[in-house]
């Protein structure tokens, strides 16, 4: 059975109290997850310690990790407001890199994305590199550690719109990404819901889902995990 990753991207949402409520509802649901599924929750930086603590009691029965939504391209020093891979490593094992919202709103180009990927890999973190087109996958400069990354294919038209890509096209893109980058896990993201997640994860080249809006509600997210 293939390994399936289900990653929650909370984006710019949730206060500490709201995160605590989500974590309590998620933990109290007595969620059953087979070993073939790996769950990652990516909150804002401010919530990393809270989420790490909140998922701790689940770790002996399900594979669940906390991830960051971004990382600095710098390692250390005079960069006010930045958070480095080394600092993230205190809480997380996974980092989203190059999400299209960062490429668009914060002018992240391929050099920035490559630097961020290098920083995460140097600190033993797993980068989940988000790409919306094949050129973004072709531009990745990964060196020897190329197989230590996860890629999420997220077409821009599908993000937050309620209109996902077709499973067939997403699968074709995942296949092409693997041809470019090697046999790495490739996830699909963009309007994933409890109703459509299986259509994607059942495809031969898709290894999971990156879930935005539908991950904000713990019950909806649990249904996605269950249905995936
Ligand atoms: P969405 O976001 O599920 O709300 O479409 C996905 C993402 O941006 O990662």
């Amino acid at each position: 059975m293939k390994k399936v990753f289900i990653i929650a991207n909370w984006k710019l949402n949730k206060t500490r109290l709201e995160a605590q409520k989500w974590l309590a509802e998620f933990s109290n649901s007595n969620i059953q997850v087979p070993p073939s599924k790996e769950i990652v929750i990516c909150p804002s930086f401010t919530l990393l310690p809270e989420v790490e603590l909140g998922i701790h009691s689940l770790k002996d029965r399900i594979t669940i990790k906390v991830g960051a939504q971004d990382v600095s391209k710098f390692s250390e020093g005079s960069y006010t407001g930045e958070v480095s891979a080394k600092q993230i490593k205190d809480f997380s094992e996974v980092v989203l890199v190059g999400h299209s919202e960062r490429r668009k709103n914060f002018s992240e180009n391929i050099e920035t994305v490559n630097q961020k990927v290098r920083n995460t890999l140097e600190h033993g973190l797993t980068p989940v590199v988000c790409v919306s087109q094949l050129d973004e996958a072709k531009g990745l400069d990964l060196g020897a550690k190329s197989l230590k990354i996860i890629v999420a294919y997220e077409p821009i038209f599908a993000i937050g719109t309620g209109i996902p890509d077709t499973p067939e096209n997403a699968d074709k893109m995942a296949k092409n990404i693997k041809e470019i980058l090697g046999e790495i896990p490739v996830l699909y993201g963009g309007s994933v819901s409890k109703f459509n997640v299986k259509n994607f994860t059942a495809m031969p080249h898709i290894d999971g889902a990156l879930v935005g809006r539908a991950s904000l509600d713990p019950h909806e997210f649990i249904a996605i995990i269950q249905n995936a």
Side-chain angles (χ1 to χ4, degrees):
M1 188 181 280
K2 76 175 173 186
K3 184 161 178 184
V4 172
F5 297 84
I6 309 292
I7 304 185
N9 176 9
W10 284 358
K11 308 192 181 183
L12 182 50
N13 294 289
K14 296 200 187 296
T15 61
R16 189 179 187 185
L17 207 65
E18 287 164 349
Q20 284 169 345
K21 189 164 176 282
W22 190 101
L23 289 161
E25 286 176 27
F26 188 82
S27 308
N28 293 340
S29 70
N30 205 18
I31 180 174
Q32 303 296 322
V33 183
S36 57
K37 291 182 189 172
E38 178 167 328
I39 317 301
V40 183
I41 319 285
C42 301
S44 300
F45 287 132
T46 51
L47 298 171
L48 288 176
E50 201 71 51
V51 175
E52 193 211 17
L53 198 72
I55 62 173
H56 193 75
S57 62
L58 296 169
K59 283 197 166 182
D60 53 2
R61 48 182 200 89
I62 66 178
T63 308
I64 184 163
K65 297 175 178 171
V66 57
Q69 294 175 16
D70 187 29
V71 59
S72 179
K73 67 175 180 177
F74 300 107
S75 305
E76 193 160 41
S78 305
Y79 302 101
T80 303
E82 290 290 275
V83 180
S84 72
K86 194 172 156 191
Q87 292 172 316
I88 289 171
K89 178 84 176 164
D90 283 342
F91 306 97
S92 316
E93 297 164 69
V94 177
V95 182
L96 303 183
V97 179
H99 192 283
S100 60
E101 288 158 5
R102 295 212 58 84
R103 294 183 198 250
K104 175 169 163 256
N105 299 316
F106 303 95
S107 310
E108 284 194 8
N109 58 25
I110 189 67
E111 279 99 66
T112 313
V113 171
N114 275 325
Q115 263 169 319
K116 290 183 172 193
V117 170
R118 268 196 295 278
N119 280 356
T120 57
L121 289 171
E122 256 166 41
H123 287 89
L125 297 162
T126 302
V128 178
V129 186
C130 304
V131 303
S132 53
Q133 50 199 14
L134 288 181
D135 276 354
E136 291 173 357
K138 284 185 190 144
L140 289 175
D141 173 19
L142 300 168
K145 291 185 171 158
S146 60
L147 295 178
K148 300 216 159 138
I149 74 164
I150 294 174
V151 166
Y153 162 62
E154 298 205 307
I156 288 169
F157 69 81
I159 296 179
T161 59
I163 306 166
D165 202 346
T166 62
E168 292 73 23
N169 192 56
D171 191 59
K172 198 173 85 194
M173 291 297 284
K175 181 171 183 276
N176 290 340
I177 290 166
K178 288 178 196 216
E179 278 163 11
I180 296 165
L181 295 172
E183 273 307 308
I184 50 163
V186 178
L187 321 184
Y188 168 74
S191 298
V192 170
S193 70
K194 63 184 171 192
F195 301 111
N196 64 26
V197 65
K198 187 72 191 177
N199 300 340
F200 292 100
T201 55
M203 297 308 269
H205 303 99
I206 297 178
D207 305 289
L210 179 53
V211 188
R213 191 183 305 184
S215 72
L216 294 176
D217 179 291
H219 304 289
E220 175 91 19
F221 190 58
I222 288 165
I224 288 175
I225 296 167
Q226 234 92 69
N227 295 351

